[in-house]
Amino acid sequence: MTTAVVSGGGTGIGLAVARRLAGRGLEVTVLGRRPDVLADAARQTGATPVVCDVADPAAVAAALDALPAEVGVLVNNAGGNTDLDGPEPPPGDLAALAAAWQDNLRSNLISAVLLTAALAPRLADGGRVVTLGSIAARTGAGSYGAAKAAVEAWTIDVARELGPRGISANVVSPGLTVATEFFRGRLSAERTGQLVAATATGRAGTPDDVAALIDFLAGPDAGHITGQVLHVNGGAHLGR
């Protein structure tokens, strides 16, 4: 496995993953929507930047020529809580409510489905697929939590479909993770304190905490781990 593709690889967890995989010799391609952010990530990691909205079928199809002919590791990191991008739908506005739910499903589930389906024929035997979930799939967070719960269900199908080729598929599910763009600067100190207090470790997670687990799952020693949800949340939620 000498090549890796990381969606949402320009910042936060995706950037930390790209740095780790490149650091152990993989040729990494990072995908994202913002050319300037990707260019900076490429300078930091040596990765190849490819501008692409992975939730857009046409954009994914158009990007295929720029992606590796064989992919050893696919990390579906693109996504986030689109509810944080704007106001809540007005009460009784069912069209706005439907649009808000569709936005989170598109950003978190459809993005992973499209990129994985597009690259499945290029995945090397014995390859790895890792998709980012969230503690919200277990603790609830409206349409975002529902979308991440759907990621967990979909990953079971991916694991079963690709397993005969020795390809594993897993979900890495972070809790509170700082030094990312996730909260759009809207997380208050009070709420941060509440989330940290819910952990057993007494601290927030970091992108490197999550990237370390992804790096292991992407490596040669994790071949018999598949169809699983692995939590990185300091004990804020116990996966049992």
Side-chain angles (χ1 to χ4, degrees), residues 30-214:
V30 289
L31 301 177
R33 294 176 295 177
R34 296 174 291 176
D36 55 336
V37 171
L38 283 185
D40 186 54
R43 285 191 293 270
Q44 293 184 52
T45 64
T48 299
V50 175
V51 178
C52 178
D53 178 357
V54 292
D56 180 345
V60 173
L64 284 176
D65 285 346
L67 299 181
E70 183 176 79
V71 178
V73 177
L74 170 59
V75 180
N76 292 307
N77 173 71
N81 190 347
T82 57
D83 287 343
L84 299 175
D85 292 331
E88 293 185 10
D93 189 338
L94 297 183
L97 180 63
W101 275 72
Q102 288 163 357
D103 282 347
N104 255 324
L105 285 167
R106 179 178 178 274
S107 179
N108 295 284
L109 174 64
I110 301 304
S111 61
V113 170
L114 292 177
L115 188 59
T116 303
L119 293 182
R122 303 187 186 189
L123 286 170
D125 289 352
R128 306 282 185 259
V129 179
V130 182
T131 304
L132 268 290
S134 172
I135 192 174
R138 306 301 178 92
T139 60
S143 57
Y144 174 68
K148 289 302 192 183
V151 164
E152 294 185 8
W154 164 74
T155 296
I156 296 170
D157 289 335
V158 177
R160 288 173 174 163
E161 177 186 347
L162 300 180
R165 294 170 52 198
I167 300 170
S168 66
N170 293 289
V171 175
V172 168
S173 182
L176 171 64
T177 306
V178 296
T180 76
E181 297 180 339
F182 180 86
F183 289 102
R184 322 304 201 261
R186 295 172 61 178
L187 185 65
S188 68
E190 179 182 7
R191 180 57 178 154
T192 300
Q194 292 170 347
L195 293 173
V196 169
T199 69
T201 56
R203 69 170 179 87
T206 69
D208 281 337
D209 288 325
V210 183
L213 177 55
I214 294 173

